[in-house]
Amino acid sequence: MSDGRKRFSGSEYKKRAKDKEYKEIKVLNKIPKLSTFFKPTTPSSLNAPDNDQQHDLKTIDDKEMTKCESNFVINNLTTSTLNVDSDTLYIDNNDPAKWIINDVTRDYVAKHGINQNLNDDFTCSKREYPDKNRFLNKSLFVRTRINGEVQSRPWLVFSKSTGSVFCAPCRLFGSTHLSTLVTIGFNDWKNAVRKLNEHENSIPHKTSTVALIERGKTAGKINQEIVLQLEQETNYWRNILKRIVATVRSLVIRGLPLRGSEEKFGSYHSGNFIMTLELLAEFDPFLLEHIRHYGKIGSGNTSYLSSQTYGEFIQIMAEQITKQIVEEVKVSKYFSISVDSTPDVSHVDQLSFIIRYLSKDGTPIERFLKFIANTGHKSEQLADAVFDTLNQYNLDFKNCRGQSYDNASNMAGKYTGLQARIKEVIPLAIYVPCSAHSLNLVGISAVDCCEKSTTYFRYLQELYNFFTASTHRWEILLFYLKKAKCVKSLSQTRWSARYEAGKSLYTSWSEIKNALQAIIDDANEKPVTKFDALVLLKPLNTIEMCFMAVFWNEVLERFHIVNKKLQSVNIELGMVVELYGSLEQYISRIRNNFEEYERKAIQICGEIQYKKDKRRTVKRKRQFDETMNEVITETGKEDFRINVFFVILDKLKAELVRRGILTRKLFLKKTRALIEQYPNDIEESFTNECLHLRDHLFFKSDKKRSAQELCQMLYTDELIDIYPNVTTALRMYLCTFATNCTAERSFSALKRVKSHLRSTLESDRLNATSILHIESEMLRSINYDDIIDDFATKKVRRKML
């Protein structure tokens, strides 16, 4: 039965099938390729036809198509579907000498692999030598290592046309390599083993091999264009971010503000960040082009040139440094803490938190962690802030071995001070008062011990105030001073400033007198100015004032040098005891130097009589019951020696003994009975280790070593396993603070970071900027790529399903 459909003959069916196939190919040719939607990544990113595509060409039977149709299909397939340029020659994969070195060839070899042509006839590789003829041997395609293992050489390819061998990776990617394995082919079979070994161990060969492998990971994939374009975009933005990170790092290291009143390129009111980028762009065309395209596009567009971007970079760098510090503390295990507070420019009290520990080579390190705002001044509030900070960084309380603060009662209080509250929780956290601060208190107590001493330092400040109150007076002073020391001001916090002020008066005594006398003799000066100059000139003509200048100059010089030494990070408790003891001996020795100081004073001022000797002796009326013996009266010299000179020296020595006795006791406590004091840290074999170490040092050197030098020797000579308990004791000892000067130095950084221009800086940004500025050495060691990777991780929008 008929189903109603028209039936065709076999030839008609074949004709209709051929027309249908032709129409499908024509439609496919009109469809745009995937690569047309993306920018070209290389000048020639075309692929050569592979075996499957060549088979597709042969599927169209030329005998069954008209000549016109056949030419149309083949032309469109070869130019569109296969994406091959008309001027690109076909690649002869079997002969490397005929390779056309371009991206097409590189992609083709990377995708299909290297054909070494091992089955070819090697008779064409004949080379004549004076002794005999030599040919290529298959043994050159493998390498026998020194341990007997046989390793193939997949990179070596035989060329039948030249009868030589080539290095495929170097021929494709090593254009600068001048070896014959790259250029014309290698056929020196007599020296082949040595030459091939040298080539495969060379850096250009390894670099080219890696490049071929990386090329093969993307070549021939359907998303090759997308991958290459993504790599280009990634490299572009990474290069931009490197310049931004470098700019931000350079500015925060110096504590400079980044933001200005405007965030516009080309504006005179933009901040340091934009100003630095504009400066770099003058010499960097890449950055200049980026700023030209993205500098004024406004918000909502990606440019990475805004304040939000560099703010995130600051936070990332601060987090990396903090993380590194905490990791170093945990590796060191033992640490000590120190805190001190000061108000900032916005009248917010900032508590500086400092931690001390030992590095991997046994060197003490003091690091700044953070500023804590508005903690209060009561010891209970300070203790809570300390414990909260330790918990924030996951630092174990039990490993804290020391604490150091100033001598304020809320810090050093024996019963309710901060050190007492911390010792309740951490009994082994020994409190060490700041030795440098204690030395300042020694000097302050000595200054206030007698009227003459107080008058001398008050005179130094009045002299400075008089000359600095007017630029005219200052010019007169500079005219007479010439190369001498200029007058200095006192300081309530820096005792070294008193030394500088006293030294300026001592070295410029006559010049200051001449400047004051010139002001008095000047008829154009105001009467008030002349009177003030006269008041200041009178003390300079007395031996008492000159004696105080000579005496305090030498005493303060010794105190100043010791104070500088005490402020060092490498200072240890044993050295503090020695320095305090040396000052005690110095004060005792100069007790007999009164005549020498008097001689110098007379030589400077020219006056030989004391004020008391110039006054008229007041005769007292004798009472009726008094004897007639003659009353002995002291001379001005004896009175000054007893009531001024000796009083100051006695006060200095008494305060040195009182301030240094606590440190001395702590030192003896840490060097005796350590096993009983630290049962969980030091083992019973500690005594034997000390005896063994003593003999070791005796035979090694007679040099006296400090605790720090001894600890560094144990680390350097890798003797920690032999003396583990000695090393532990030294680590606990060296990690203990001797001063809290690092906390006070952080206050200087706080003034630079939070200035009047940045008085509204938030706490998080303040801490991030401060740690980058204070720990600038650590910031310089951070790699740009690590910062950018963290930034990319935080900014990525992709979510894991």
Side-chain angles (χ1 to χ4, degrees):
M1 294 179 61
S2 175
D3 54 1
R5 291 183 299 177
K6 184 178 180 180
R7 296 186 179 274
F8 303 100
S9 62
S11 61
E12 184 67 20
Y13 274 114
K14 292 180 181 180
K15 182 178 179 181
R16 288 178 177 271
K18 183 174 60 176
D19 293 341
K20 182 179 179 181
E21 185 177 5
Y22 168 74
K23 291 179 181 180
E24 290 177 354
I25 294 175
K26 188 175 181 180
V27 172
L28 290 175
N29 289 333
K30 293 181 180 181
I31 298 177
K33 301 181 294 299
L34 185 62
S35 60
T36 59
F37 295 94
F38 303 94
K39 298 178 182 179
T41 57
T42 58
S44 176
S45 59
L46 307 178
N47 294 328
D50 54 17
N51 296 331
D52 296 336
Q53 291 172 333
Q54 294 179 28
H55 176 72
D56 293 338
L57 292 176
K58 297 179 181 179
T59 56
I60 303 176
D61 190 1
D62 296 341
K63 297 180 180 179
E64 298 179 359
M65 300 178 62
T66 63
K67 185 176 182 180
C68 180
E69 292 172 347
S70 177
N71 292 335
F72 177 83
V73 173
I74 293 176
N75 290 336
N76 278 277
L77 282 175
T78 54
T79 58
S80 299
T81 306
L82 299 180
N83 196 22
V84 179
D85 291 336
S86 59
D87 58 347
T88 302
L89 300 179
Y90 180 70
I91 301 172
D92 187 357
N93 188 39
N94 296 326
D95 195 343
K98 298 181 180 180
W99 283 354
I100 302 173
I101 306 303
N102 54 20
D103 289 334
V104 176
T105 308
R106 295 186 184 99
D107 291 338
Y108 185 79
V109 176
K111 176 184 177 182
H112 296 88
I114 300 173
N115 186 3
Q116 295 183 278
N117 303 323
L118 295 178
N119 298 325
D120 288 354
D121 186 9
F122 292 163
T123 57
C124 61
S125 64
K126 175 182 176 181
R127 178 167 179 176
E128 297 180 358
Y129 288 89
D131 53 349
K132 63 177 181 180
N133 298 331
R134 297 178 185 270
F135 298 86
L136 173 63
N137 195 296
K138 286 188 177 182
S139 61
L140 294 179
F141 290 87
V142 295
R143 171 192 178 188
T144 303
R145 300 182 59 190
I146 193 172
N147 59 359
E149 295 180 354
V150 178
Q151 191 175 21
S152 62
R153 289 187 172 119
W155 49 270
L156 194 62
V157 184
F158 173 66
S159 173
K160 189 175 182 179
S161 62
T162 60
S164 58
V165 291
F166 288 83
C167 175
C170 291
R171 183 156 176 77
L172 293 173
F173 295 95
S175 58
T176 59
H177 204 294
L178 300 179
S179 173
T180 55
L181 284 165
V182 181
T183 56
I184 61 176
F186 177 81
N187 62 352
D188 186 7
W189 314 125
K190 184 177 182 179
N191 302 312
V193 176
R194 179 176 60 84
K195 292 291 186 179
L196 293 179
N197 287 336
E198 292 177 356
H199 178 79
E200 65 184 347
N201 290 324
S202 64
I203 295 178
H205 171 75
K206 295 179 180 179
T207 304
S208 300
T209 304
V210 172
L212 181 61
I213 294 173
E214 294 296 330
R215 191 74 170 234
K217 293 180 180 179
T218 57
K221 297 180 181 179
I222 191 172
N223 62 341
Q224 178 184 3
E225 298 292 336
I226 300 177
V227 172
L228 293 177
Q229 183 178 352
L230 181 61
E231 290 179 356
Q232 280 191 340
E233 292 289 329
T234 302
N235 293 332
Y236 176 85
W237 290 110
R238 183 172 287 271
N239 289 328
I240 291 296
L241 292 177
K242 282 184 179 180
R243 288 161 171 79
I244 294 175
V245 172
T247 302
V248 173
R249 190 183 71 169
S250 299
L251 293 174
V252 297
I253 282 178
R254 292 158 180 81
L256 298 175
L258 279 75
R259 191 170 183 175
S261 57
E262 289 184 351
E263 288 189 76
K264 296 180 180 179
F265 285 91
S267 173
Y268 293 104
H269 304 288
S270 59
N272 291 327
F273 174 73
I274 293 180
M275 180 271 295
T276 306
L277 290 181
E278 290 177 339
L279 177 62
L280 293 176
E282 293 183 9
F283 308 96
D284 187 354
F286 176 74
L287 182 59
L288 178 62
E289 191 67 20
H290 178 78
I291 294 177
R292 185 176 299 169
H293 284 84
Y294 297 96
K296 299 181 180 180
I297 59 177
S299 60
N301 298 279
T302 302
S303 66
Y304 298 121
L305 300 175
S306 63
S307 59
Q308 181 181 357
T309 299
Y310 64 68
E312 294 176 0
F313 277 124
I314 290 175
Q315 197 66 33
I316 290 172
M317 290 187 288
E319 291 174 358
Q320 289 190 4
I321 291 180
T322 304
K323 182 180 178 181
Q324 183 177 346
I325 293 175
V326 173
E327 289 178 354
E328 291 179 357
V329 173
K330 291 181 178 179
V331 171
S332 177
K333 186 177 180 180
Y334 301 112
F335 63 90
S336 297
I337 59 174
S338 176
V339 296
D340 202 356
S341 63
T342 187
D344 59 21
V345 69
S346 60
H347 307 290
V348 176
D349 192 68
Q350 302 286 351
L351 183 70
S352 177
F353 193 98
I354 308 296
I355 192 165
R356 179 185 173 102
Y357 58 95
L358 261 66
S359 63
K360 294 181 180 179
D361 60 353
T363 304
I365 300 176
E366 296 180 6
R367 298 294 190 191
F368 168 83
L369 279 182
K370 63 182 301 188
F371 284 119
I372 309 173
N374 292 325
T375 57
H377 295 282
K378 295 184 178 180
S379 59
E380 183 178 2
Q381 298 171 335
L382 295 173
D384 292 339
V386 170
F387 291 129
D388 291 342
T389 303
L390 294 177
N391 285 326
Q392 177 184 353
Y393 297 112
N394 296 322
L395 296 176
D396 192 357
F397 297 171
K398 298 178 181 179
N399 295 327
C400 182
R401 291 294 178 269
Q403 48 180 328
S404 178
Y405 321 110
D406 56 24
N407 292 269
S409 59
N410 63 334
M411 296 288 192
K414 185 176 181 180
Y415 300 104
T416 59
L418 175 61
Q419 63 93 12
R421 293 182 181 275
I422 291 181
K423 288 193 71 173
E424 291 178 359
V425 182
I426 316 173
L428 297 179
I430 297 177
Y431 167 64
V432 180
C434 177
S435 57
H437 187 265
S438 299
L439 189 61
N440 288 346
L441 294 179
V442 170
I444 293 174
S445 300
V447 167
D448 297 335
C449 67
C450 64
E451 180 183 355
K452 295 291 185 182
S453 180
T454 306
T455 303
Y456 169 72
F457 285 99
R458 189 189 310 119
Y459 177 80
L460 293 177
Q461 186 63 41
E462 291 176 354
L463 191 66
Y464 174 82
N465 294 339
F466 174 77
F467 282 107
T468 56
S470 169
T471 56
H472 174 64
R473 302 176 203 170
W474 189 257
E475 290 177 358
I476 296 175
L477 177 63
L478 294 180
F479 174 78
Y480 284 96
L481 286 178
K482 296 180 180 179
K483 296 183 179 180
K485 288 281 186 179
C486 197
V487 293
K488 303 289 183 180
S489 175
L490 301 182
S491 175
Q492 298 298 327
T493 56
R494 294 178 62 250
W495 183 254
S496 59
R498 294 177 179 263
Y499 164 67
E500 296 291 341
K503 185 178 180 180
S504 64
L505 177 61
Y506 172 71
T507 57
S508 309
W509 187 275
S510 59
E511 289 82 0
I512 294 175
K513 285 180 61 176
N514 295 334
L516 292 173
Q517 189 64 48
I519 295 175
I520 295 173
D521 297 338
D522 191 354
N524 296 324
E525 293 289 348
K526 296 180 180 179
V528 176
T529 304
K530 291 184 178 182
F531 177 78
D532 293 340
L534 181 61
V535 172
L536 292 174
L537 181 61
K538 287 182 178 180
L540 296 180
N541 295 321
T542 62
I543 189 175
E544 289 88 350
M545 181 62 70
C546 192
F547 184 97
M548 297 299 293
V550 174
F551 167 71
W552 276 114
N553 179 68
E554 294 194 3
V555 172
L556 291 179
E557 181 183 10
R558 292 295 93 199
F559 274 67
H560 175 68
I561 294 175
V562 172
N563 199 1
K564 287 293 185 181
K565 182 66 176 179
L566 293 176
Q567 295 178 23
S568 174
V569 175
N570 297 327
I571 193 71
E572 57 189 60
L573 293 178
M575 183 60 66
V576 173
V577 174
E578 293 179 3
L579 292 175
Y580 268 76
S582 65
L583 285 178
E584 292 178 20
Q585 296 179 0
Y586 171 75
I587 296 300
S588 300
R589 184 181 59 81
I590 65 174
R591 190 179 181 87
N592 301 321
N593 292 355
F594 182 84
E595 299 292 340
E596 181 181 354
Y597 294 145
E598 184 185 42
R599 179 181 58 81
K600 291 182 179 179
I602 294 174
Q603 184 178 359
I604 293 175
C605 69
E607 181 66 36
I608 60 174
Q609 281 189 322
Y610 291 84
K611 282 186 177 181
K612 186 176 181 179
D613 296 334
K614 295 180 180 181
R615 297 172 183 171
R616 182 177 64 86
T617 303
V618 179
K619 294 184 179 180
R620 184 174 59 85
K621 182 180 180 180
R622 299 182 183 276
Q623 302 298 326
F624 69 95
D625 57 345
E626 289 183 342
T627 62
M628 298 302 296
N629 295 335
E630 183 179 359
V631 178
I632 300 176
T633 59
E634 294 180 345
T635 63
K637 177 179 180 179
E638 292 300 324
D639 179 70
F640 193 84
R641 180 203 299 264
I642 296 172
N643 297 322
V644 178
F645 182 69
F646 286 162
V647 170
I648 295 175
L649 292 179
D650 292 341
K651 187 65 174 180
L652 282 172
K653 186 173 182 179
E655 288 295 323
L656 282 172
V657 173
R658 187 174 71 89
R659 298 288 180 180
I661 190 171
L662 179 58
T663 305
R664 187 179 295 105
K665 287 182 179 180
L666 290 174
F667 176 69
L668 296 175
K669 186 177 181 180
K670 293 182 74 66
T671 55
R672 298 173 184 171
L674 290 178
I675 299 176
E676 291 80 3
Q677 183 70 20
Y678 302 100
N680 297 326
D681 299 306
I682 300 178
E683 300 173 348
E684 295 292 335
S685 59
F686 175 67
T687 304
N688 292 331
E689 288 185 17
C690 292
L691 296 175
H692 186 195
L693 181 60
R694 182 191 63 180
D695 297 335
H696 177 86
L697 295 176
F698 177 77
F699 285 105
K700 184 175 182 179
S701 175
D702 294 332
K703 176 184 176 182
K704 182 180 178 181
R705 297 177 182 271
S706 63
Q708 181 178 342
E709 293 174 344
L710 181 59
C711 185
Q712 290 178 346
M713 184 202 72
L714 295 178
Y715 277 92
T716 304
D717 298 345
E718 299 181 355
L719 300 176
I720 300 176
D721 296 335
I722 302 177
Y723 309 106
N725 292 294
V726 174
T727 306
T728 301
L730 290 173
R731 287 164 54 198
M732 292 189 296
Y733 170 67
L734 292 175
C735 77
T736 304
F737 277 97
T739 66
N740 65 339
C741 295
T742 304
E744 295 183 355
R745 279 191 284 267
S746 67
F747 299 157
S748 301
L750 176 63
K751 291 182 179 180
R752 288 190 292 269
V753 172
K754 192 171 184 179
S755 60
H756 67 283
L757 296 176
R758 292 187 288 181
S759 59
T760 59
L761 203 62
E762 296 181 354
S763 179
D764 292 340
R765 176 64 68 83
L766 172 63
N767 284 326
T769 310
S770 298
I771 196 172
L772 295 179
H773 176 49
I774 296 172
E775 304 298 340
S776 58
E777 294 182 1
M778 299 183 67
L779 178 58
R780 294 180 188 274
S781 63
I782 295 181
N783 191 0
Y784 290 150
D785 293 329
D786 296 338
I787 301 174
I788 295 174
D789 291 341
D790 289 350
F791 177 77
T793 303
K794 293 184 177 182
K795 300 292 288 186
V796 68
R797 297 187 180 94
R798 181 177 53 194
K799 296 182 179 180
M800 299 301 294
L801 299 178

